[in-house]
Amino acid sequence: MKVLGIETSCDETAAAIVEDGRIILSNVVNSQIDIHSLYGGVVPEVAARSHIEVINPVIDQAIKEADLTWDQIDAIAVTYAPGLIGSLLIGTLAARTLAILKNKPLYVVHHIEAHVYANFLNETTPEFPILALIVSGGHSQLMLFSDHNDYQLIGQTCDDAVGEAFDKVAKIIGLPYPGGPSIAKAAQHGNPHAYKLPKAHLSGAYDFSFSGLKTAVLRAVQREVGVDITFPSSSLAELLNEVQRADFAASFQQTAIETLVDKTEKAFHGYSPKSVIIAGGVAANQELRRQLSERLPVKINYAPIELCTDNAAMVASLGFFQSKNNSPTDPFSLEVESSLSMAK
Ligand code: KG4
Ligand code: ZN
């Protein structure tokens, strides 16, 4: 079964065709990073306009690269939640229109659940029960998947998502958007023990918190450059030299990653899953991969980096597995949901 996936929930316009949920026939991603980096973050209105401009060419290219005709495509899958409302509307409108015009069944998928399916596009696929650490710009959660479409939330962030913390700390120390990759790069030249930063202790055994860590970096930078809390935080970065910047990047990354790994290790021993996977943009982080592999007594088959950040192959893969259990959605009545939790 060949599924066309469409993804527009944030700042990537993406379309892909995947066969039987596992084999990528094409995977086209048009990133808006260059546009949003001018503003230091995603501007929702700009994102929606950019999706409108490129959605049709991106879908056409995905079909062309897979060397298929519409007759050979069996279904369409699209992200309908969660994300920026204007962005979600563009992708779902394209998917609904195509489902009606081309007479194809339409499956709607949850963006965060779709991130998990990057791991089913890997050479070796995970076995259930799967412990999934899902870490993106909007989510940080631990989930246990007993099967496709059968999962439970076992822990989550109480405040900021870890990707959001990477993005905010990058801004504080003067590194470009998106913060995840730029902190990871700067950290390669920094000392992860240069600044002592706190790890949050929470009552929920598998919960996270990253807002305190971000504030701790802000306070440490203020101390380091010798200003008090009244000094405008937007001007702090100019006072740091390259060594300090790299040391802050490395110290922050070390603490954030350790927090994720501590809880994942704890959940591993608590739930004894057959496989562990990581998903979402922060899963691209090499230090996270290194520390997890070091601490967990199980082999983790990490998904390729380009499938960790937003793409439509993961959407098409989840669409395939959904088609096994669920009936298609009516394209005439589909509505988007900007903040839908995965917890049932
Ligand atoms: O999953 P994603 O592409 O979009 C959302 O659904 O949010 O994740 C984007 C997030 C951003 O916060 C970005 O800074 C972070 O993933 N990210 C990383 C890395 N690459 C992307 N964080 C840490 N290390 C990376 N290498
Ligand atoms: Zn995402």
Side-chain angles (χ1 to χ4, degrees), residues 297-340:
V298 61
K299 181 167 167 20
I300 307 177
N301 294 300
Y302 298 109
I305 301 291
E306 68 275 14
L307 294 178
C308 291
T309 45
D310 288 352
N311 67 84
M314 64 188 198
V315 172
S317 174
L318 175 53
F320 166 78
F321 289 106
Q322 284 206 348
S323 74
K324 303 284 145 212
N325 300 309
N326 302 348
S327 5
T329 295
D330 176 5
F332 287 97
S333 60
L334 168 61
E335 289 190 14
V336 298
E337 304 226 25
S338 62
S339 59
L340 182 71

Short mmCIF file of all heavy atoms in Angstrom, two decimals, residues 297-340:
data_model
loop_
_atom_site.label_atom_id
_atom_site.label_comp_id
_atom_site.label_asym_id
_atom_site.label_seq_id
_atom_site.Cartn_x
_atom_site.Cartn_y
_atom_site.Cartn_z
N PRO A 297 20.81 -0.77 29.02
CA PRO A 297 21.33 -2.10 28.66
C PRO A 297 20.57 -2.71 27.48
O PRO A 297 20.19 -3.86 27.51
CB PRO A 297 21.10 -2.90 29.95
CG PRO A 297 19.92 -2.25 30.58
CD PRO A 297 19.92 -0.82 30.18
N VAL A 298 20.30 -1.91 26.44
CA VAL A 298 19.57 -2.41 25.28
C VAL A 298 20.12 -1.68 24.06
O VAL A 298 20.50 -0.51 24.17
CB VAL A 298 18.05 -2.16 25.47
CG1 VAL A 298 17.72 -0.70 25.60
CG2 VAL A 298 17.22 -2.77 24.34
N LYS A 299 20.16 -2.38 22.92
CA LYS A 299 20.67 -1.71 21.71
C LYS A 299 19.57 -0.80 21.16
O LYS A 299 18.44 -1.23 20.99
CB LYS A 299 21.08 -2.75 20.68
CG LYS A 299 21.64 -2.13 19.42
CD LYS A 299 22.32 -3.15 18.54
CE LYS A 299 22.63 -2.65 17.15
NZ LYS A 299 22.70 -1.23 16.88
N ILE A 300 19.92 0.45 20.92
CA ILE A 300 18.94 1.38 20.36
C ILE A 300 19.30 1.64 18.90
O ILE A 300 20.44 2.01 18.60
CB ILE A 300 18.90 2.70 21.15
CG1 ILE A 300 18.70 2.41 22.65
CG2 ILE A 300 17.80 3.61 20.63
CD1 ILE A 300 18.72 3.63 23.54
N ASN A 301 18.34 1.41 18.01
CA ASN A 301 18.58 1.69 16.58
C ASN A 301 18.04 3.08 16.28
O ASN A 301 16.84 3.24 16.06
CB ASN A 301 17.88 0.64 15.72
CG ASN A 301 18.49 -0.72 15.93
OD1 ASN A 301 19.68 -0.93 15.70
ND2 ASN A 301 17.69 -1.65 16.42
N TYR A 302 18.92 4.06 16.29
CA TYR A 302 18.47 5.44 16.10
C TYR A 302 18.06 5.69 14.66
O TYR A 302 18.71 5.20 13.72
CB TYR A 302 19.57 6.41 16.50
CG TYR A 302 19.94 6.30 17.96
CD1 TYR A 302 21.14 5.74 18.36
CD2 TYR A 302 19.05 6.73 18.94
CE1 TYR A 302 21.47 5.61 19.71
CE2 TYR A 302 19.36 6.62 20.28
CZ TYR A 302 20.58 6.06 20.66
OH TYR A 302 20.88 5.93 21.98
N ALA A 303 17.00 6.48 14.49
CA ALA A 303 16.54 6.85 13.14
C ALA A 303 17.52 7.85 12.54
O ALA A 303 18.18 8.60 13.28
CB ALA A 303 15.15 7.46 13.23
N PRO A 304 17.64 7.87 11.20
CA PRO A 304 18.50 8.88 10.59
C PRO A 304 18.07 10.29 11.00
O PRO A 304 16.88 10.53 11.20
CB PRO A 304 18.29 8.68 9.09
CG PRO A 304 17.60 7.37 8.93
CD PRO A 304 16.96 7.03 10.22
N ILE A 305 19.07 11.18 11.13
CA ILE A 305 18.81 12.54 11.61
C ILE A 305 17.69 13.23 10.82
O ILE A 305 16.82 13.87 11.39
CB ILE A 305 20.11 13.39 11.50
CG1 ILE A 305 21.24 12.77 12.31
CG2 ILE A 305 19.87 14.84 11.90
CD1 ILE A 305 21.08 12.80 13.80
N GLU A 306 17.70 13.06 9.49
CA GLU A 306 16.72 13.81 8.68
C GLU A 306 15.29 13.32 8.91
O GLU A 306 14.34 14.00 8.56
CB GLU A 306 17.10 13.78 7.19
CG GLU A 306 16.98 12.43 6.51
CD GLU A 306 18.23 11.55 6.67
OE1 GLU A 306 19.09 11.84 7.52
OE2 GLU A 306 18.32 10.53 5.94
N LEU A 307 15.14 12.14 9.54
CA LEU A 307 13.78 11.68 9.85
C LEU A 307 13.35 12.07 11.26
O LEU A 307 12.21 11.86 11.65
CB LEU A 307 13.68 10.17 9.66
CG LEU A 307 13.85 9.67 8.22
CD1 LEU A 307 13.78 8.15 8.18
CD2 LEU A 307 12.82 10.28 7.29
N CYS A 308 14.30 12.64 12.05
CA CYS A 308 13.96 13.06 13.42
C CYS A 308 13.25 14.41 13.41
O CYS A 308 12.31 14.63 14.16
CB CYS A 308 15.22 13.16 14.27
SG CYS A 308 15.94 11.56 14.61
N THR A 309 13.73 15.33 12.58
CA THR A 309 13.04 16.62 12.49
C THR A 309 11.81 16.45 11.59
O THR A 309 11.62 15.40 10.97
CB THR A 309 14.00 17.71 11.96
OG1 THR A 309 14.71 17.17 10.86
CG2 THR A 309 15.00 18.11 13.03
N ASP A 310 10.97 17.50 11.51
CA ASP A 310 9.68 17.35 10.85
C ASP A 310 9.81 16.90 9.39
O ASP A 310 10.62 17.46 8.63
CB ASP A 310 8.91 18.68 10.92
CG ASP A 310 8.41 18.95 12.33
OD1 ASP A 310 8.55 18.05 13.19
OD2 ASP A 310 7.88 20.05 12.56
N ASN A 311 9.02 15.90 9.04
CA ASN A 311 9.00 15.38 7.66
C ASN A 311 7.66 14.69 7.44
O ASN A 311 6.88 14.51 8.38
CB ASN A 311 10.17 14.41 7.47
CG ASN A 311 10.01 13.16 8.30
OD1 ASN A 311 9.34 12.22 7.91
ND2 ASN A 311 10.59 13.16 9.52
N ALA A 312 7.38 14.30 6.20
CA ALA A 312 6.08 13.69 5.91
C ALA A 312 6.18 12.17 5.76
O ALA A 312 5.16 11.49 5.73
CB ALA A 312 5.48 14.29 4.66
N ALA A 313 7.41 11.62 5.71
CA ALA A 313 7.54 10.17 5.62
C ALA A 313 6.98 9.53 6.89
O ALA A 313 6.28 8.52 6.85
CB ALA A 313 9.01 9.80 5.42
N MET A 314 7.26 10.16 8.04
CA MET A 314 6.75 9.63 9.31
C MET A 314 5.21 9.68 9.34
O MET A 314 4.55 8.82 9.92
CB MET A 314 7.37 10.40 10.50
CG MET A 314 6.99 11.87 10.57
SD MET A 314 7.94 12.75 11.84
CE MET A 314 6.91 14.25 12.06
N VAL A 315 4.65 10.70 8.69
CA VAL A 315 3.19 10.87 8.63
C VAL A 315 2.58 9.76 7.76
O VAL A 315 1.58 9.13 8.12
CB VAL A 315 2.83 12.27 8.07
CG1 VAL A 315 1.34 12.42 7.82
CG2 VAL A 315 3.34 13.36 9.02
N ALA A 316 3.23 9.51 6.61
CA ALA A 316 2.75 8.46 5.70
C ALA A 316 2.86 7.09 6.38
O ALA A 316 1.97 6.25 6.23
CB ALA A 316 3.56 8.49 4.41
N SER A 317 3.94 6.87 7.13
CA SER A 317 4.12 5.59 7.82
C SER A 317 3.01 5.37 8.84
O SER A 317 2.35 4.33 8.84
CB SER A 317 5.49 5.57 8.51
OG SER A 317 5.62 4.41 9.29
N LEU A 318 2.77 6.35 9.69
CA LEU A 318 1.69 6.22 10.68
C LEU A 318 0.34 6.07 9.97
O LEU A 318 -0.51 5.28 10.41
CB LEU A 318 1.68 7.43 11.63
CG LEU A 318 0.54 7.50 12.64
CD1 LEU A 318 0.40 6.23 13.46
CD2 LEU A 318 0.71 8.70 13.58
N GLY A 319 0.12 6.79 8.87
CA GLY A 319 -1.13 6.67 8.10
C GLY A 319 -1.36 5.23 7.66
O GLY A 319 -2.47 4.71 7.77
N PHE A 320 -0.29 4.57 7.23
CA PHE A 320 -0.42 3.16 6.80
C PHE A 320 -0.88 2.29 7.98
O PHE A 320 -1.84 1.52 7.86
CB PHE A 320 0.93 2.64 6.28
CG PHE A 320 0.98 1.15 6.14
CD1 PHE A 320 0.38 0.54 5.05
CD2 PHE A 320 1.59 0.37 7.10
CE1 PHE A 320 0.39 -0.86 4.94
CE2 PHE A 320 1.61 -1.01 6.99
CZ PHE A 320 1.01 -1.63 5.90
N PHE A 321 -0.21 2.43 9.14
CA PHE A 321 -0.58 1.58 10.27
C PHE A 321 -1.99 1.90 10.77
O PHE A 321 -2.71 1.03 11.24
CB PHE A 321 0.47 1.69 11.39
CG PHE A 321 1.78 1.01 11.01
CD1 PHE A 321 2.90 1.76 10.66
CD2 PHE A 321 1.86 -0.37 10.96
CE1 PHE A 321 4.08 1.14 10.27
CE2 PHE A 321 3.04 -1.00 10.58
CZ PHE A 321 4.16 -0.25 10.24
N GLN A 322 -2.39 3.17 10.66
CA GLN A 322 -3.75 3.53 11.07
C GLN A 322 -4.79 2.90 10.15
O GLN A 322 -5.87 2.54 10.57
CB GLN A 322 -3.90 5.05 11.02
CG GLN A 322 -3.23 5.69 12.21
CD GLN A 322 -3.84 7.02 12.56
OE1 GLN A 322 -4.62 7.59 11.82
NE2 GLN A 322 -3.47 7.53 13.71
N SER A 323 -4.45 2.80 8.86
CA SER A 323 -5.42 2.27 7.91
C SER A 323 -5.76 0.81 8.22
O SER A 323 -6.79 0.29 7.80
CB SER A 323 -4.88 2.39 6.48
OG SER A 323 -3.87 1.42 6.27
N LYS A 324 -4.91 0.14 9.00
CA LYS A 324 -5.17 -1.26 9.37
C LYS A 324 -6.29 -1.37 10.40
O LYS A 324 -6.96 -2.38 10.48
CB LYS A 324 -3.90 -1.91 9.96
CG LYS A 324 -2.69 -1.86 9.06
CD LYS A 324 -2.80 -2.87 7.94
CE LYS A 324 -2.18 -2.32 6.69
NZ LYS A 324 -2.78 -2.77 5.46
N ASN A 325 -6.42 -0.35 11.24
CA ASN A 325 -7.40 -0.43 12.35
C ASN A 325 -8.54 0.58 12.26
O ASN A 325 -9.58 0.37 12.85
CB ASN A 325 -6.69 -0.17 13.70
CG ASN A 325 -5.61 -1.16 13.96
OD1 ASN A 325 -5.85 -2.36 13.86
ND2 ASN A 325 -4.41 -0.70 14.27
N ASN A 326 -8.29 1.69 11.59
CA ASN A 326 -9.28 2.77 11.63
C ASN A 326 -9.93 2.97 10.28
O ASN A 326 -9.32 2.70 9.25
CB ASN A 326 -8.60 4.10 12.01
CG ASN A 326 -7.90 4.01 13.34
OD1 ASN A 326 -8.10 3.05 14.08
ND2 ASN A 326 -7.07 4.99 13.65
N SER A 327 -11.15 3.53 10.30
CA SER A 327 -11.76 3.89 9.01
C SER A 327 -11.26 5.27 8.61
O SER A 327 -10.85 6.08 9.46
CB SER A 327 -13.28 3.89 9.09
OG SER A 327 -13.71 3.66 10.36
N PRO A 328 -11.29 5.56 7.30
CA PRO A 328 -10.81 6.86 6.85
C PRO A 328 -11.69 8.00 7.39
O PRO A 328 -12.81 7.77 7.83
CB PRO A 328 -10.91 6.78 5.33
CG PRO A 328 -11.26 5.39 4.98
CD PRO A 328 -11.74 4.70 6.21
N THR A 329 -11.13 9.19 7.35
CA THR A 329 -11.86 10.38 7.81
C THR A 329 -12.62 11.00 6.64
O THR A 329 -12.13 10.95 5.51
CB THR A 329 -10.81 11.39 8.34
OG1 THR A 329 -10.20 10.80 9.47
CG2 THR A 329 -11.42 12.71 8.73
N ASP A 330 -13.76 11.59 6.94
CA ASP A 330 -14.53 12.28 5.90
C ASP A 330 -13.82 13.59 5.54
O ASP A 330 -13.71 14.48 6.39
CB ASP A 330 -15.95 12.56 6.43
CG ASP A 330 -16.77 13.36 5.43
OD1 ASP A 330 -16.28 13.61 4.31
OD2 ASP A 330 -17.90 13.74 5.80
N PRO A 331 -13.32 13.73 4.32
CA PRO A 331 -12.58 14.96 3.98
C PRO A 331 -13.43 16.22 4.03
O PRO A 331 -12.89 17.32 4.18
CB PRO A 331 -12.09 14.69 2.55
CG PRO A 331 -12.94 13.59 2.02
CD PRO A 331 -13.40 12.79 3.19
N PHE A 332 -14.75 16.06 3.96
CA PHE A 332 -15.61 17.25 3.99
C PHE A 332 -15.75 17.82 5.40
O PHE A 332 -16.03 18.99 5.57
CB PHE A 332 -17.01 16.91 3.43
CG PHE A 332 -16.99 16.73 1.93
CD1 PHE A 332 -16.91 15.45 1.39
CD2 PHE A 332 -17.04 17.82 1.08
CE1 PHE A 332 -16.88 15.26 0.02
CE2 PHE A 332 -17.00 17.64 -0.29
CZ PHE A 332 -16.93 16.36 -0.84
N SER A 333 -15.55 16.99 6.43
CA SER A 333 -15.81 17.49 7.79
C SER A 333 -14.56 17.57 8.66
O SER A 333 -14.64 17.91 9.84
CB SER A 333 -16.86 16.61 8.46
OG SER A 333 -16.36 15.30 8.53
N LEU A 334 -13.39 17.26 8.10
CA LEU A 334 -12.17 17.27 8.92
C LEU A 334 -11.86 18.67 9.47
O LEU A 334 -11.89 19.66 8.75
CB LEU A 334 -10.98 16.79 8.06
CG LEU A 334 -9.58 17.02 8.64
CD1 LEU A 334 -9.42 16.27 9.95
CD2 LEU A 334 -8.50 16.60 7.67
N GLU A 335 -11.57 18.70 10.78
CA GLU A 335 -11.16 19.97 11.39
C GLU A 335 -9.80 19.79 12.05
O GLU A 335 -9.47 18.69 12.51
CB GLU A 335 -12.19 20.41 12.43
CG GLU A 335 -13.46 20.85 11.76
CD GLU A 335 -14.42 21.51 12.71
OE1 GLU A 335 -14.01 21.86 13.83
OE2 GLU A 335 -15.58 21.66 12.31
N VAL A 336 -9.01 20.86 12.11
CA VAL A 336 -7.68 20.77 12.74
C VAL A 336 -7.79 21.06 14.23
O VAL A 336 -8.76 21.67 14.69
CB VAL A 336 -6.68 21.75 12.08
CG1 VAL A 336 -6.48 21.41 10.62
CG2 VAL A 336 -7.11 23.19 12.25
N GLU A 337 -6.79 20.62 15.01
CA GLU A 337 -6.75 20.90 16.45
C GLU A 337 -5.35 21.39 16.77
O GLU A 337 -4.39 20.64 16.60
CB GLU A 337 -7.04 19.64 17.25
CG GLU A 337 -8.36 19.02 16.88
CD GLU A 337 -9.16 18.63 18.09
OE1 GLU A 337 -8.96 19.24 19.16
OE2 GLU A 337 -9.97 17.73 17.95
N SER A 338 -5.24 22.63 17.25
CA SER A 338 -3.90 23.17 17.45
C SER A 338 -3.21 22.61 18.68
O SER A 338 -1.99 22.53 18.72
CB SER A 338 -3.94 24.69 17.51
OG SER A 338 -4.70 25.09 18.60
N SER A 339 -3.97 22.22 19.70
CA SER A 339 -3.28 21.70 20.91
C SER A 339 -3.96 20.45 21.44
O SER A 339 -4.60 20.49 22.47
CB SER A 339 -3.25 22.78 22.00
OG SER A 339 -4.55 23.16 22.30
N LEU A 340 -3.76 19.39 20.73
CA LEU A 340 -4.36 18.11 21.13
C LEU A 340 -3.29 17.24 21.76
O LEU A 340 -2.27 16.95 21.14
CB LEU A 340 -4.95 17.43 19.89
CG LEU A 340 -5.66 16.10 20.12
CD1 LEU A 340 -6.99 16.31 20.84
CD2 LEU A 340 -5.89 15.40 18.79
#
